[in-house]
PDB file of all heavy atoms in Angstrom:
ATOM      1  N   THR A 110       7.837   6.041   4.725  1.00 97.00           N
ATOM      2  CA  THR A 110       9.248   5.777   4.256  1.00 97.00           C
ATOM      3  C   THR A 110       9.298   5.126   2.937  1.00 97.00           C
ATOM      4  O   THR A 110      10.084   5.509   2.019  1.00 97.00           O
ATOM      5  CB  THR A 110       9.917   4.940   5.279  1.00 97.00           C
ATOM      6  OG1 THR A 110       9.840   5.558   6.529  1.00 97.00           O
ATOM      7  CG2 THR A 110      11.385   4.693   4.947  1.00 97.00           C
ATOM      8  N   LEU A 111       8.340   4.188   2.633  1.00 96.00           N
ATOM      9  CA  LEU A 111       8.295   3.456   1.330  1.00 96.00           C
ATOM     10  C   LEU A 111       7.898   4.478   0.311  1.00 96.00           C
ATOM     11  O   LEU A 111       8.389   4.449  -0.861  1.00 96.00           O
ATOM     12  CB  LEU A 111       7.283   2.304   1.407  1.00 96.00           C
ATOM     13  CG  LEU A 111       7.749   1.063   2.225  1.00 96.00           C
ATOM     14  CD1 LEU A 111       6.633   0.092   2.336  1.00 96.00           C
ATOM     15  CD2 LEU A 111       9.004   0.521   1.718  1.00 96.00           C
ATOM     16  N   THR A 112       6.934   5.376   0.576  1.00 95.00           N
ATOM     17  CA  THR A 112       6.535   6.371  -0.416  1.00 95.00           C
ATOM     18  C   THR A 112       7.685   7.357  -0.751  1.00 95.00           C
ATOM     19  O   THR A 112       7.959   7.666  -1.892  1.00 95.00           O
ATOM     20  CB  THR A 112       5.365   7.147   0.170  1.00 95.00           C
ATOM     21  OG1 THR A 112       4.180   6.336   0.417  1.00 95.00           O
ATOM     22  CG2 THR A 112       4.891   8.279  -0.803  1.00 95.00           C
ATOM     23  N   ILE A 113       8.468   7.763   0.363  1.00 96.00           N
ATOM     24  CA  ILE A 113       9.569   8.728   0.057  1.00 96.00           C
ATOM     25  C   ILE A 113      10.569   7.939  -0.753  1.00 96.00           C
ATOM     26  O   ILE A 113      11.276   8.521  -1.680  1.00 96.00           O
ATOM     27  CB  ILE A 113      10.065   9.312   1.350  1.00 96.00           C
ATOM     28  CG1 ILE A 113       8.994  10.137   1.993  1.00 96.00           C
ATOM     29  CG2 ILE A 113      11.370   9.989   1.172  1.00 96.00           C
ATOM     30  CD1 ILE A 113       9.293  10.620   3.354  1.00 96.00           C
ATOM     31  N   ALA A 114      10.874   6.702  -0.467  1.00 95.00           N
ATOM     32  CA  ALA A 114      11.805   5.900  -1.271  1.00 95.00           C
ATOM     33  C   ALA A 114      11.416   5.892  -2.691  1.00 95.00           C
ATOM     34  O   ALA A 114      12.248   5.988  -3.602  1.00 95.00           O
ATOM     35  CB  ALA A 114      11.955   4.547  -0.626  1.00 95.00           C
ATOM     36  N   GLY A 115      10.159   5.690  -2.987  1.00 93.00           N
ATOM     37  CA  GLY A 115       9.630   5.593  -4.272  1.00 93.00           C
ATOM     38  C   GLY A 115       9.807   6.951  -5.010  1.00 93.00           C
ATOM     39  O   GLY A 115      10.146   6.986  -6.241  1.00 93.00           O
ATOM     40  N   ILE A 116       9.694   8.130  -4.275  1.00 91.00           N
ATOM     41  CA  ILE A 116       9.881   9.365  -4.870  1.00 91.00           C
ATOM     42  C   ILE A 116      11.313   9.522  -5.248  1.00 91.00           C
ATOM     43  O   ILE A 116      11.697   9.969  -6.319  1.00 91.00           O
ATOM     44  CB  ILE A 116       9.503  10.440  -3.851  1.00 91.00           C
ATOM     45  CG1 ILE A 116       8.006  10.423  -3.632  1.00 91.00           C
ATOM     46  CG2 ILE A 116       9.868  11.846  -4.469  1.00 91.00           C
ATOM     47  CD1 ILE A 116       7.486  11.364  -2.502  1.00 91.00           C
ATOM     48  N   VAL A 117      12.263   9.166  -4.385  1.00 91.00           N
ATOM     49  CA  VAL A 117      13.696   9.218  -4.637  1.00 91.00           C
ATOM     50  C   VAL A 117      14.068   8.365  -5.826  1.00 91.00           C
ATOM     51  O   VAL A 117      14.942   8.744  -6.677  1.00 91.00           O
ATOM     52  CB  VAL A 117      14.494   8.790  -3.392  1.00 91.00           C
ATOM     53  CG1 VAL A 117      16.016   8.646  -3.668  1.00 91.00           C
ATOM     54  CG2 VAL A 117      14.221   9.746  -2.229  1.00 91.00           C
ATOM     55  N   LEU A 118      13.454   7.240  -5.944  1.00 89.00           N
ATOM     56  CA  LEU A 118      13.774   6.293  -7.068  1.00 89.00           C
ATOM     57  C   LEU A 118      13.032   6.680  -8.283  1.00 89.00           C
ATOM     58  O   LEU A 118      13.169   5.939  -9.352  1.00 89.00           O
ATOM     59  CB  LEU A 118      13.340   4.819  -6.668  1.00 89.00           C
ATOM     60  CG  LEU A 118      14.172   4.239  -5.555  1.00 89.00           C
ATOM     61  CD1 LEU A 118      13.642   2.835  -5.113  1.00 89.00           C
ATOM     62  CD2 LEU A 118      15.675   4.153  -5.873  1.00 89.00           C
ATOM     63  N   GLY A 119      12.208   7.723  -8.358  1.00 83.00           N
ATOM     64  CA  GLY A 119      11.562   8.161  -9.571  1.00 83.00           C
ATOM     65  C   GLY A 119      10.325   7.470  -9.941  1.00 83.00           C
ATOM     66  O   GLY A 119       9.917   7.510 -11.078  1.00 83.00           O
ATOM     67  N   ARG A 120       9.731   6.715  -8.939  1.00 81.00           N
ATOM     68  CA  ARG A 120       8.537   6.029  -9.307  1.00 81.00           C
ATOM     69  C   ARG A 120       7.306   6.985  -9.334  1.00 81.00           C
ATOM     70  O   ARG A 120       7.177   7.798  -8.537  1.00 81.00           O
ATOM     71  CB  ARG A 120       8.236   4.897  -8.271  1.00 81.00           C
ATOM     72  CG  ARG A 120       9.357   3.874  -8.236  1.00 81.00           C
ATOM     73  CD  ARG A 120       9.090   2.795  -7.147  1.00 81.00           C
ATOM     74  NE  ARG A 120      10.113   1.697  -7.110  1.00 81.00           N
ATOM     75  CZ  ARG A 120      10.269   0.844  -6.159  1.00 81.00           C
ATOM     76  NH1 ARG A 120       9.427   0.867  -5.203  1.00 81.00           N
ATOM     77  NH2 ARG A 120      11.294  -0.054  -6.256  1.00 81.00           N
ATOM     78  N   SER A 121       6.454   6.730 -10.293  1.00 73.00           N
ATOM     79  CA  SER A 121       5.311   7.584 -10.510  1.00 73.00           C
ATOM     80  C   SER A 121       4.050   6.824  -9.751  1.00 73.00           C
ATOM     81  O   SER A 121       4.183   5.653  -9.392  1.00 73.00           O
ATOM     82  CB  SER A 121       4.904   7.823 -11.920  1.00 73.00           C
ATOM     83  OG  SER A 121       4.668   6.554 -12.560  1.00 73.00           O
ATOM     84  N   ALA A 122       2.991   7.492  -9.586  1.00 68.00           N
ATOM     85  CA  ALA A 122       1.821   6.953  -8.965  1.00 68.00           C
ATOM     86  C   ALA A 122       0.601   7.563  -9.630  1.00 68.00           C
ATOM     87  O   ALA A 122       0.607   8.736 -10.012  1.00 68.00           O
ATOM     88  CB  ALA A 122       1.870   7.261  -7.440  1.00 68.00           C
ATOM     89  N   ASN A 123      -0.448   6.706  -9.662  1.00 64.00           N
ATOM     90  CA  ASN A 123      -1.732   7.232 -10.275  1.00 64.00           C
ATOM     91  C   ASN A 123      -2.714   7.172  -9.085  1.00 64.00           C
ATOM     92  O   ASN A 123      -2.774   6.226  -8.278  1.00 64.00           O
ATOM     93  CB  ASN A 123      -2.188   6.285 -11.390  1.00 64.00           C
ATOM     94  CG  ASN A 123      -1.256   6.475 -12.600  1.00 64.00           C
ATOM     95  OD1 ASN A 123      -0.836   7.606 -12.999  1.00 64.00           O
ATOM     96  ND2 ASN A 123      -0.783   5.368 -13.156  1.00 64.00           N
ATOM     97  N   TRP A 124      -3.657   8.045  -9.154  1.00 61.00           N
ATOM     98  CA  TRP A 124      -4.621   8.137  -8.123  1.00 61.00           C
ATOM     99  C   TRP A 124      -6.083   8.014  -8.743  1.00 61.00           C
ATOM    100  O   TRP A 124      -6.494   8.760  -9.658  1.00 61.00           O
ATOM    101  CB  TRP A 124      -4.645   9.513  -7.395  1.00 61.00           C
ATOM    102  CG  TRP A 124      -3.175   9.878  -7.008  1.00 61.00           C
ATOM    103  CD1 TRP A 124      -2.490  10.884  -7.535  1.00 61.00           C
ATOM    104  CD2 TRP A 124      -2.304   9.218  -6.130  1.00 61.00           C
ATOM    105  NE1 TRP A 124      -1.228  10.910  -6.964  1.00 61.00           N
ATOM    106  CE2 TRP A 124      -1.138   9.869  -6.115  1.00 61.00           C
ATOM    107  CE3 TRP A 124      -2.477   8.079  -5.249  1.00 61.00           C
ATOM    108  CZ2 TRP A 124       0.018   9.442  -5.267  1.00 61.00           C
ATOM    109  CZ3 TRP A 124      -1.389   7.671  -4.491  1.00 61.00           C
ATOM    110  CH2 TRP A 124      -0.192   8.357  -4.550  1.00 61.00           C
ATOM    111  N   GLY A 125      -6.781   7.082  -8.221  1.00 62.00           N
ATOM    112  CA  GLY A 125      -8.278   6.908  -8.591  1.00 62.00           C
ATOM    113  C   GLY A 125      -9.115   7.457  -7.499  1.00 62.00           C
ATOM    114  O   GLY A 125      -8.768   8.145  -6.642  1.00 62.00           O
ATOM    115  N   ALA A 126     -10.408   7.226  -7.697  1.00 63.00           N
ATOM    116  CA  ALA A 126     -11.403   7.663  -6.686  1.00 63.00           C
ATOM    117  C   ALA A 126     -11.157   6.948  -5.397  1.00 63.00           C
ATOM    118  O   ALA A 126     -10.717   5.728  -5.403  1.00 63.00           O
ATOM    119  CB  ALA A 126     -12.810   7.428  -7.106  1.00 63.00           C
ATOM    120  N   GLN A 127     -11.460   7.609  -4.258  1.00 70.00           N
ATOM    121  CA  GLN A 127     -11.364   7.002  -2.939  1.00 70.00           C
ATOM    122  C   GLN A 127     -12.476   6.081  -2.715  1.00 70.00           C
ATOM    123  O   GLN A 127     -13.601   6.396  -3.103  1.00 70.00           O
ATOM    124  CB  GLN A 127     -11.290   8.041  -1.967  1.00 70.00           C
ATOM    125  CG  GLN A 127     -10.030   8.955  -2.054  1.00 70.00           C
ATOM    126  CD  GLN A 127     -10.016  10.000  -0.913  1.00 70.00           C
ATOM    127  OE1 GLN A 127     -10.160   9.653   0.240  1.00 70.00           O
ATOM    128  NE2 GLN A 127      -9.786  11.292  -1.212  1.00 70.00           N
ATOM    129  N   MET A 128     -12.262   4.989  -2.024  1.00 71.00           N
ATOM    130  CA  MET A 128     -13.294   4.114  -1.544  1.00 71.00           C
ATOM    131  C   MET A 128     -13.759   4.664  -0.211  1.00 71.00           C
ATOM    132  O   MET A 128     -12.984   4.811   0.777  1.00 71.00           O
ATOM    133  CB  MET A 128     -12.762   2.741  -1.370  1.00 71.00           C
ATOM    134  CG  MET A 128     -13.870   1.675  -1.158  1.00 71.00           C
ATOM    135  SD  MET A 128     -13.243  -0.048  -1.015  1.00 71.00           S
ATOM    136  CE  MET A 128     -12.762  -0.236  -2.792  1.00 71.00           C
ATOM    137  N   ARG A 129     -15.053   4.969  -0.039  1.00 71.00           N
ATOM    138  CA  ARG A 129     -15.505   5.634   1.084  1.00 71.00           C
ATOM    139  C   ARG A 129     -16.426   4.762   2.009  1.00 71.00           C
ATOM    140  O   ARG A 129     -16.637   5.110   3.145  1.00 71.00           O
ATOM    141  CB  ARG A 129     -16.292   6.930   0.673  1.00 71.00           C
ATOM    142  CG  ARG A 129     -15.429   7.795  -0.220  1.00 71.00           C
ATOM    143  CD  ARG A 129     -16.102   9.233  -0.314  1.00 71.00           C
ATOM    144  NE  ARG A 129     -15.362  10.008  -1.286  1.00 71.00           N
ATOM    145  CZ  ARG A 129     -14.239  10.688  -1.030  1.00 71.00           C
ATOM    146  NH1 ARG A 129     -13.758  10.793   0.209  1.00 71.00           N
ATOM    147  NH2 ARG A 129     -13.691  11.437  -1.994  1.00 71.00           N
ATOM    148  N   ASP A 130     -17.002   3.727   1.464  1.00 74.00           N
ATOM    149  CA  ASP A 130     -17.938   2.936   2.302  1.00 74.00           C
ATOM    150  C   ASP A 130     -17.223   1.854   3.048  1.00 74.00           C
ATOM    151  O   ASP A 130     -16.238   1.318   2.648  1.00 74.00           O
ATOM    152  CB  ASP A 130     -18.975   2.256   1.278  1.00 74.00           C
ATOM    153  CG  ASP A 130     -19.935   3.283   0.685  1.00 74.00           C
ATOM    154  OD1 ASP A 130     -20.488   4.054   1.433  1.00 74.00           O
ATOM    155  OD2 ASP A 130     -20.105   3.193  -0.557  1.00 74.00           O
ATOM    156  N   ALA A 131     -17.788   1.639   4.241  1.00 72.00           N
ATOM    157  CA  ALA A 131     -17.247   0.493   5.045  1.00 72.00           C
ATOM    158  C   ALA A 131     -17.247  -0.735   4.441  1.00 72.00           C
ATOM    159  O   ALA A 131     -18.333  -1.130   3.795  1.00 72.00           O
ATOM    160  CB  ALA A 131     -17.923   0.589   6.432  1.00 72.00           C
ATOM    161  N   HIS A 132     -16.266  -1.553   4.549  1.00 82.00           N
ATOM    162  CA  HIS A 132     -16.211  -2.901   3.898  1.00 82.00           C
ATOM    163  C   HIS A 132     -15.085  -3.711   4.571  1.00 82.00           C
ATOM    164  O   HIS A 132     -14.193  -3.179   5.238  1.00 82.00           O
ATOM    165  CB  HIS A 132     -15.986  -2.763   2.436  1.00 82.00           C
ATOM    166  CG  HIS A 132     -14.668  -2.071   2.145  1.00 82.00           C
ATOM    167  ND1 HIS A 132     -14.456  -0.847   2.120  1.00 82.00           N
ATOM    168  CD2 HIS A 132     -13.408  -2.624   1.830  1.00 82.00           C
ATOM    169  CE1 HIS A 132     -13.189  -0.507   1.873  1.00 82.00           C
ATOM    170  NE2 HIS A 132     -12.535  -1.727   1.636  1.00 82.00           N
ATOM    171  N   GLY A 133     -15.194  -4.969   4.458  1.00 88.00           N
ATOM    172  CA  GLY A 133     -14.136  -5.849   4.988  1.00 88.00           C
ATOM    173  C   GLY A 133     -12.921  -5.838   4.039  1.00 88.00           C
ATOM    174  O   GLY A 133     -13.004  -5.675   2.835  1.00 88.00           O
ATOM    175  N   VAL A 134     -11.731  -6.180   4.664  1.00 94.00           N
ATOM    176  CA  VAL A 134     -10.484  -6.313   3.890  1.00 94.00           C
ATOM    177  C   VAL A 134     -10.147  -7.768   4.038  1.00 94.00           C
ATOM    178  O   VAL A 134      -9.778  -8.235   5.217  1.00 94.00           O
ATOM    179  CB  VAL A 134      -9.407  -5.366   4.522  1.00 94.00           C
ATOM    180  CG1 VAL A 134      -8.069  -5.752   3.840  1.00 94.00           C
ATOM    181  CG2 VAL A 134      -9.766  -3.883   4.230  1.00 94.00           C
ATOM    182  N   PRO A 135     -10.095  -8.589   2.973  1.00 95.00           N
ATOM    183  CA  PRO A 135      -9.657  -9.942   2.968  1.00 95.00           C
ATOM    184  C   PRO A 135      -8.146 -10.053   3.241  1.00 95.00           C
ATOM    185  O   PRO A 135      -7.298  -9.140   3.132  1.00 95.00           O
ATOM    186  CB  PRO A 135     -10.013 -10.510   1.620  1.00 95.00           C
ATOM    187  CG  PRO A 135     -10.012  -9.335   0.737  1.00 95.00           C
ATOM    188  CD  PRO A 135     -10.463  -8.155   1.588  1.00 95.00           C
ATOM    189  N   LEU A 136      -7.711 -11.276   3.746  1.00 96.00           N
ATOM    190  CA  LEU A 136      -6.278 -11.557   4.113  1.00 96.00           C
ATOM    191  C   LEU A 136      -5.393 -11.249   2.914  1.00 96.00           C
ATOM    192  O   LEU A 136      -4.410 -10.702   3.088  1.00 96.00           O
ATOM    193  CB  LEU A 136      -6.199 -12.979   4.605  1.00 96.00           C
ATOM    194  CG  LEU A 136      -4.777 -13.514   4.864  1.00 96.00           C
ATOM    195  CD1 LEU A 136      -4.224 -12.697   5.956  1.00 96.00           C
ATOM    196  CD2 LEU A 136      -4.748 -14.950   5.265  1.00 96.00           C
ATOM    197  N   ARG A 137      -5.817 -11.726   1.763  1.00 95.00           N
ATOM    198  CA  ARG A 137      -4.964 -11.599   0.602  1.00 95.00           C
ATOM    199  C   ARG A 137      -4.623 -10.089   0.250  1.00 95.00           C
ATOM    200  O   ARG A 137      -3.486  -9.678   0.065  1.00 95.00           O
ATOM    201  CB  ARG A 137      -5.495 -12.252  -0.635  1.00 95.00           C
ATOM    202  CG  ARG A 137      -4.773 -12.097  -1.923  1.00 95.00           C
ATOM    203  CD  ARG A 137      -5.365 -12.840  -3.043  1.00 95.00           C
ATOM    204  NE  ARG A 137      -5.249 -14.344  -2.853  1.00 95.00           N
ATOM    205  CZ  ARG A 137      -5.730 -15.142  -3.761  1.00 95.00           C
ATOM    206  NH1 ARG A 137      -6.213 -14.767  -4.850  1.00 95.00           N
ATOM    207  NH2 ARG A 137      -5.578 -16.452  -3.470  1.00 95.00           N
ATOM    208  N   ALA A 138      -5.649  -9.174   0.336  1.00 95.00           N
ATOM    209  CA  ALA A 138      -5.434  -7.880   0.090  1.00 95.00           C
ATOM    210  C   ALA A 138      -4.598  -7.175   1.180  1.00 95.00           C
ATOM    211  O   ALA A 138      -3.777  -6.363   0.901  1.00 95.00           O
ATOM    212  CB  ALA A 138      -6.870  -7.159  -0.024  1.00 95.00           C
ATOM    213  N   ALA A 139      -4.833  -7.652   2.393  1.00 96.00           N
ATOM    214  CA  ALA A 139      -4.177  -7.020   3.523  1.00 96.00           C
ATOM    215  C   ALA A 139      -2.584  -7.402   3.446  1.00 96.00           C
ATOM    216  O   ALA A 139      -1.764  -6.558   3.595  1.00 96.00           O
ATOM    217  CB  ALA A 139      -4.649  -7.474   4.873  1.00 96.00           C
ATOM    218  N   PHE A 140      -2.391  -8.684   3.130  1.00 97.00           N
ATOM    219  CA  PHE A 140      -0.979  -9.149   3.030  1.00 97.00           C
ATOM    220  C   PHE A 140      -0.271  -8.531   1.788  1.00 97.00           C
ATOM    221  O   PHE A 140       0.931  -8.161   1.919  1.00 97.00           O
ATOM    222  CB  PHE A 140      -0.913 -10.664   2.926  1.00 97.00           C
ATOM    223  CG  PHE A 140       0.468 -11.247   2.905  1.00 97.00           C
ATOM    224  CD1 PHE A 140       1.137 -11.324   4.083  1.00 97.00           C
ATOM    225  CD2 PHE A 140       1.151 -11.613   1.725  1.00 97.00           C
ATOM    226  CE1 PHE A 140       2.489 -11.833   4.106  1.00 97.00           C
ATOM    227  CE2 PHE A 140       2.383 -12.090   1.764  1.00 97.00           C
ATOM    228  CZ  PHE A 140       3.117 -12.196   2.961  1.00 97.00           C
ATOM    229  N   ALA A 141      -0.979  -8.339   0.717  1.00 96.00           N
ATOM    230  CA  ALA A 141      -0.371  -7.718  -0.498  1.00 96.00           C
ATOM    231  C   ALA A 141       0.029  -6.334  -0.210  1.00 96.00           C
ATOM    232  O   ALA A 141       1.048  -5.824  -0.729  1.00 96.00           O
ATOM    233  CB  ALA A 141      -1.341  -7.822  -1.651  1.00 96.00           C
ATOM    234  N   ARG A 142      -0.692  -5.675   0.632  1.00 96.00           N
ATOM    235  CA  ARG A 142      -0.295  -4.195   0.891  1.00 96.00           C
ATOM    236  C   ARG A 142       0.696  -4.131   1.940  1.00 96.00           C
ATOM    237  O   ARG A 142       1.598  -3.183   1.961  1.00 96.00           O
ATOM    238  CB  ARG A 142      -1.611  -3.473   1.268  1.00 96.00           C
ATOM    239  CG  ARG A 142      -1.449  -1.970   1.595  1.00 96.00           C
ATOM    240  CD  ARG A 142      -0.860  -1.235   0.354  1.00 96.00           C
ATOM    241  NE  ARG A 142      -0.737   0.199   0.618  1.00 96.00           N
ATOM    242  CZ  ARG A 142       0.404   0.723   1.181  1.00 96.00           C
ATOM    243  NH1 ARG A 142       1.318  -0.122   1.588  1.00 96.00           N
ATOM    244  NH2 ARG A 142       0.415   2.030   1.414  1.00 96.00           N
ATOM    245  N   PHE A 143       0.648  -4.929   2.937  1.00 97.00           N
ATOM    246  CA  PHE A 143       1.376  -4.682   4.236  1.00 97.00           C
ATOM    247  C   PHE A 143       2.495  -5.782   4.449  1.00 97.00           C
ATOM    248  O   PHE A 143       3.017  -5.824   5.605  1.00 97.00           O
ATOM    249  CB  PHE A 143       0.510  -4.552   5.346  1.00 97.00           C
ATOM    250  CG  PHE A 143      -0.473  -3.410   5.401  1.00 97.00           C
ATOM    251  CD1 PHE A 143      -1.760  -3.623   5.264  1.00 97.00           C
ATOM    252  CD2 PHE A 143       0.144  -2.130   5.418  1.00 97.00           C
ATOM    253  CE1 PHE A 143      -2.677  -2.462   5.290  1.00 97.00           C
ATOM    254  CE2 PHE A 143      -0.716  -0.988   5.356  1.00 97.00           C
ATOM    255  CZ  PHE A 143      -2.146  -1.180   5.257  1.00 97.00           C
ATOM    256  N   TRP A 144       2.857  -6.609   3.441  1.00 97.00           N
ATOM    257  CA  TRP A 144       3.889  -7.545   3.768  1.00 97.00           C
ATOM    258  C   TRP A 144       5.242  -6.891   4.012  1.00 97.00           C
ATOM    259  O   TRP A 144       6.020  -7.406   4.869  1.00 97.00           O
ATOM    260  CB  TRP A 144       4.066  -8.520   2.576  1.00 97.00           C
ATOM    261  CG  TRP A 144       4.598  -8.027   1.275  1.00 97.00           C
ATOM    262  CD1 TRP A 144       3.828  -7.552   0.212  1.00 97.00           C
ATOM    263  CD2 TRP A 144       5.960  -7.802   0.942  1.00 97.00           C
ATOM    264  NE1 TRP A 144       4.610  -7.126  -0.752  1.00 97.00           N
ATOM    265  CE2 TRP A 144       5.971  -7.240  -0.362  1.00 97.00           C
ATOM    266  CE3 TRP A 144       7.101  -8.097   1.586  1.00 97.00           C
ATOM    267  CZ2 TRP A 144       7.283  -6.880  -0.985  1.00 97.00           C
ATOM    268  CZ3 TRP A 144       8.318  -7.717   0.955  1.00 97.00           C
ATOM    269  CH2 TRP A 144       8.340  -7.171  -0.349  1.00 97.00           C
ATOM    270  N   PRO A 145       5.634  -5.763   3.403  1.00 97.00           N
ATOM    271  CA  PRO A 145       6.841  -5.136   3.741  1.00 97.00           C
ATOM    272  C   PRO A 145       6.861  -4.670   5.239  1.00 97.00           C
ATOM    273  O   PRO A 145       7.876  -4.769   5.871  1.00 97.00           O
ATOM    274  CB  PRO A 145       6.945  -3.912   2.862  1.00 97.00           C
ATOM    275  CG  PRO A 145       6.097  -4.206   1.707  1.00 97.00           C
ATOM    276  CD  PRO A 145       4.891  -4.986   2.253  1.00 97.00           C
ATOM    277  N   HIS A 146       5.786  -4.277   5.744  1.00 97.00           N
ATOM    278  CA  HIS A 146       5.629  -3.772   7.149  1.00 97.00           C
ATOM    279  C   HIS A 146       5.853  -4.997   8.117  1.00 97.00           C
ATOM    280  O   HIS A 146       6.636  -4.926   9.015  1.00 97.00           O
ATOM    281  CB  HIS A 146       4.297  -3.128   7.377  1.00 97.00           C
ATOM    282  CG  HIS A 146       3.935  -2.099   6.470  1.00 97.00           C
ATOM    283  ND1 HIS A 146       3.732  -2.225   5.126  1.00 97.00           N
ATOM    284  CD2 HIS A 146       3.677  -0.710   6.776  1.00 97.00           C
ATOM    285  CE1 HIS A 146       3.446  -1.095   4.556  1.00 97.00           C
ATOM    286  NE2 HIS A 146       3.440  -0.124   5.454  1.00 97.00           N
ATOM    287  N   THR A 147       5.209  -6.181   7.690  1.00 97.00           N
ATOM    288  CA  THR A 147       5.403  -7.347   8.544  1.00 97.00           C
ATOM    289  C   THR A 147       6.835  -7.813   8.533  1.00 97.00           C
ATOM    290  O   THR A 147       7.344  -8.195   9.613  1.00 97.00           O
ATOM    291  CB  THR A 147       4.446  -8.444   7.926  1.00 97.00           C
ATOM    292  OG1 THR A 147       3.092  -7.920   7.887  1.00 97.00           O
ATOM    293  CG2 THR A 147       4.502  -9.703   8.772  1.00 97.00           C
ATOM    294  N   LEU A 148       7.417  -7.814   7.353  1.00 97.00           N
ATOM    295  CA  LEU A 148       8.972  -8.201   7.243  1.00 97.00           C
ATOM    296  C   LEU A 148       9.787  -7.362   8.068  1.00 97.00           C
ATOM    297  O   LEU A 148      10.696  -7.816   8.862  1.00 97.00           O
ATOM    298  CB  LEU A 148       9.338  -8.183   5.755  1.00 97.00           C
ATOM    299  CG  LEU A 148      10.733  -8.624   5.535  1.00 97.00           C
ATOM    300  CD1 LEU A 148      10.994 -10.126   5.942  1.00 97.00           C
ATOM    301  CD2 LEU A 148      11.108  -8.445   4.023  1.00 97.00           C
ATOM    302  N   LEU A 149       9.562  -6.107   8.022  1.00 96.00           N
ATOM    303  CA  LEU A 149      10.381  -5.158   8.835  1.00 96.00           C
ATOM    304  C   LEU A 149      10.068  -5.343  10.359  1.00 96.00           C
ATOM    305  O   LEU A 149      11.030  -5.351  11.206  1.00 96.00           O
ATOM    306  CB  LEU A 149       9.971  -3.653   8.538  1.00 96.00           C
ATOM    307  CG  LEU A 149      10.987  -2.588   9.181  1.00 96.00           C
ATOM    308  CD1 LEU A 149      12.381  -2.793   8.754  1.00 96.00           C
ATOM    309  CD2 LEU A 149      10.475  -1.153   8.782  1.00 96.00           C
ATOM    310  N   GLY A 150       8.809  -5.598  10.779  1.00 96.00           N
ATOM    311  CA  GLY A 150       8.484  -5.843  12.098  1.00 96.00           C
ATOM    312  C   GLY A 150       9.150  -7.228  12.631  1.00 96.00           C
ATOM    313  O   GLY A 150       9.683  -7.259  13.694  1.00 96.00           O
TER     314      GLY A 150
END
């Protein structure tokens, strides 16, 4: 839904290489990406 809203608002996006190796996700990175989801929940 957020992606589609960005399309409607005309926001562009850039794509880099995908990260493929298993690794941990720190709290700061998780919160930065998913705080809108948490707020909606």
